[in-house]
Amino acid sequence: AELAPDSIPYAYRQAESYYDIDPPDWPAAIAAWKKLRERVAPGVEQQTIDLHIANILIKQEQFADARLVLTGVTDPSLDENRKTLVAQLPETP
C-alpha cells in the first residue's frame, strides 16, 4: 500500500490486515478504514467500509457507536452482513 498509495485495492487489503494482528490495533484499523472511506464512491462501497468499522466497534464493545454506523448501511446487497452485525449487539444500547 505504501508503494502504491493510489491503489484502493491495496489500501483495502492493508485495512483488512488489522484483523490478523495479535493483539489487534483497533484504533489504527478504524483510522485506516475511515481514510479509505473518503476515497471510495458513495453508496455500496462506503457502506461496505462502514460494516468493517461497525464490526471493529462491536469488538471494542462500543455498541452505541456501532449502532449509529449501521443505521447508514442501507444498500440491500449488504443486508445480510448488516443483520449479522446487528445480531451481535446487545438488546439495550
Side-chain angles (χ1 to χ4, degrees):
E2 289 176 13
L3 295 175
D6 294 333
S7 172
I8 289 176
Y10 287 166
Y12 192 93
R13 300 300 181 270
Q14 181 184 30
E16 283 183 318
S17 72
Y18 285 96
Y19 291 111
D20 299 327
I21 298 171
D22 188 26
D25 184 349
W26 294 133
I30 287 179
W33 285 115
K34 286 181 176 181
K35 184 177 177 182
L36 179 58
R37 190 182 190 283
E38 296 172 2
R39 298 174 53 201
V40 299
V44 71
E45 289 182 18
Q46 286 185 343
Q47 291 178 36
T48 299
I49 291 172
D50 290 342
L51 290 171
H52 283 284
I53 292 170
N55 183 42
I56 293 167
L57 290 169
I58 290 168
K59 291 179 184 307
Q60 294 181 296
E61 298 184 1
Q62 295 179 19
F63 302 123
D65 292 338
R67 248 188 204 86
L68 183 61
V69 171
L70 289 170
T71 61
V73 179
T74 58
D75 191 283
S77 68
L78 302 174
D79 196 45
E80 287 301 314
N81 300 83
R82 187 186 60 74
K83 286 179 183 178
T84 298
L85 292 174
V86 167
Q88 295 175 39
L89 293 169
E91 298 260 342
T92 56

